[in-house]
Amino acid sequence: MSIRNIVLFVAISLLTFNSCKEKEKNTTDLAEYKTPLNLPPNILFILCDDLGYADVGFNGSTDITTPNLDQLAQDGSIFTAAYVAHPFCGPSRAALLTGRYPHTIGSQFNLPANGASTGKGITAQEQFISVPMQEAGYYTGAIGKWHLGETIAYHPNNRGFDDFYGFLGGGHKYFPEEYRQQYKRQKEAGAKIINDYVLPLEHNGTTLQENEYLTDAFSREASRFIREAKNKNKPFFLYLAYNAPHVPLEAKKEDLDKFKHIEDKDRRTYAAMVYAIDRGVGNIVKNLKKTGQFENTLIIFLSDNGGHTGHGANNFPLTGRKGDTWEGGYRVPMFFHWPNKIPKGQKFDFPVSSLDFYPTLNYLAGATIPENKILDGKNIWEAFTSNQNPHDKETLFAMRHREGYTDVAARQNDWKAVKVHQEPWKLYNITNDISEKTDLSTEQPAILEKLVTETENWSKTHTEPLWFDPLYLEQMWNDSTMATFNQTFKISQD
């Protein structure tokens, strides 16, 4: 072989070797998205209360500014088809923390307010998402709204959370100088039942006097928890459940001043409440960075259900609002943020469910879920990081019992069947028709029948409610055919 040929052979070999190394490098980079770090991640789970689909900048808001949330969303992945398992507060939270549809564990309704739920709570037979993490060595915290049981057996400290700061009921006023006075007056008047919204906050079972605007207090406590986790040298799981922008609509003057351009009073106050959340999240991120935990923290942000359009929210382009099985009732804004571990700047358009958090987050934590634990969701991590549909050919359900009848919906891939307000079943290609404007039930009767049949079969897995809210619904449930779903699953109108 001539010298010239030898040189050419070596050059080609080197190019081939480098090309293979480059392919190997690229493969490794992609694999990093699919494999959790050996070091268990911190998990910061931020849940808003009644936040509208279009009430954050990253999801299309033009009048409410949320710069801190937008930055996290921009640097992470936005989920455009994220669903919760129920269209209002308590049942949605029960699903999130148990991994079960609330209808299958007797929590179809909110726990009754103002002392009426004493002795009741999400069954202790259902292990909360925090327990496997706690057993895996995580420092676990719950801050903010609970709404899952007020007595000792159902207290956050007995459901897998090392630290709890907040209130146990379904809502609360925001300004301490106001709710303290109202609480004092009710106590002095000898009231046997004190309104939940004015009760003192507590820290691990001990009541205390809070002096800050409620949203700011919860943000402050989140930063405190994060510092404690660092000092304990443990990974953390923090469930930060803001009660904003849930009513009562109450905002700080300095936040209101930023939204003088909004003429409607409710919308302006609501916007200021959302801004307070954003401001708080910004401070929490600063503390994560200051303690060196930001790079290994998965931040999840979403709402517990759709926004209440009667109280300042905007769900555009969705139809419906909180409580509905239209998209506006249970399709929520959501993002994941985890530097260098998830796709940056991606929009994930496939449907996911809040039921998926239990198996997915415990997988990332390296925690062991008991073999006998029933889960209605699935681990979506590999599908998410590969941009694949995690629920291909699987159906996601939503159901809300009203006074004497039931609203229900089912989505599988592109198709959604929905029945609301005792109207006939409708069918939508929800991928192309997110606003649910064009009913295709007559054009695609077989698809509608299939989805309705699946939904009826799912309903047979439900249990009797363990409580009712409002309380009079119990009598209605027993006296009518609500318990057997009336003719909810009848398609024909003759």
Side-chain angles (χ1 to χ4, degrees), residues 77 80 153 216 254 267 303 351 469:
S77 292
T80 63
D216 292 346
E254 52 264 45
R267 179 65 176 173
S303 179
D469 182 56

Side-chain angles (χ1 to χ4, degrees), residues 275-384:
Y275 182 78
I277 294 171
D278 182 83
R279 177 165 44 74
V281 171
N283 289 331
I284 293 167
V285 168
K286 288 178 183 176
N287 274 277
L288 283 170
K289 291 178 177 178
K290 186 176 180 179
T291 56
Q293 299 178 95
F294 181 71
E295 295 296 319
N296 193 38
T297 297
L298 169 61
I299 301 175
I300 299 168
F301 177 90
L302 74 158
S303 179
D304 65 338
N305 45 251
H308 195 311
T309 54
H311 295 307
N314 178 11
N315 294 318
F316 181 83
L318 310 181
T319 295
R321 68 183 193 182
K322 172 185 178 178
D324 292 340
T325 53
W326 294 114
E327 293 289 281
Y330 69 112
R331 185 169 180 163
V332 298
M334 186 172 92
F335 70 72
F336 281 9
H337 177 278
W338 188 6
N340 303 314
K341 295 302 297 179
I342 65 170
K344 178 179 178 180
Q346 169 182 285
K347 284 197 173 184
F348 190 78
D349 296 325
F350 297 109
V352 297
S353 168
S354 61
L355 296 165
D356 300 327
F357 287 125
Y358 197 118
T360 303
L361 298 186
N362 274 297
Y363 161 72
L364 293 174
T368 301
I369 299 173
E371 290 185 5
N372 63 349
K373 170 62 178 166
I374 299 173
L375 290 170
D376 294 322
K378 66 193 298 185
N379 178 2
I380 65 168
W381 192 253
E382 184 175 352
F384 159 58

Side-chain angles (χ1 to χ4, degrees), residues 103-264:
H103 320 75
T104 65
I105 59 174
S107 61
Q108 298 93 315
F109 296 94
N110 278 331
L111 280 159
N114 304 327
S117 65
T118 300
K120 299 181 176 68
I122 305 304
T123 173
Q125 295 177 350
E126 291 297 332
Q127 188 182 80
F128 277 20
I129 188 174
S130 46
V131 174
M133 293 191 195
Q134 195 178 47
E135 293 175 347
Y138 270 67
Y139 181 46
T140 56
I143 292 173
K145 174 176 172 175
W146 185 239
H147 208 196
L148 298 166
E150 300 177 15
T151 51
I152 293 298
Y154 308 113
H155 192 277
N157 292 146
N158 292 317
R159 303 308 298 260
F161 290 102
D162 298 309
D163 190 271
F164 170 69
Y165 188 102
F167 61 90
L168 297 173
H172 208 280
K173 289 179 65 61
Y174 291 82
F175 288 105
E177 60 271 23
E178 293 182 9
Y179 64 72
R180 276 204 304 267
Q181 285 298 318
Q182 292 183 28
Y183 173 74
K184 181 181 178 182
R185 285 196 297 269
Q186 291 182 40
K187 288 285 286 185
E188 290 176 347
K192 294 182 179 180
I193 297 176
I194 305 293
N195 188 293
D196 288 346
Y197 281 54
V198 302
L199 290 172
L201 302 189
E202 68 156 85
H203 185 206
N204 294 333
T206 301
T207 57
L208 48 81
Q209 179 172 301
E210 178 56 67
N211 296 312
E212 286 196 78
Y213 178 71
L214 203 56
T215 300
D216 292 346
F218 293 155
S219 298
R220 180 200 70 219
E221 290 301 309
S223 291
R224 184 264 307 167
F225 177 88
I226 287 165
R227 291 192 297 270
E228 287 181 359
K230 177 67 174 179
N231 293 334
K232 291 177 181 292
N233 197 30
K234 284 186 171 184
F236 68 78
F237 170 62
L238 177 57
Y239 171 65
L240 173 56
Y242 288 109
N243 64 311
H246 190 289
V247 293
L249 297 179
E250 299 175 347
K252 296 172 71 173
K253 183 181 183 303
E254 52 264 45
D255 293 335
L256 283 167
D257 287 344
K258 294 181 180 296
F259 297 96
K260 291 180 179 178
H261 60 283
I262 299 178
E263 294 183 5
D264 182 82

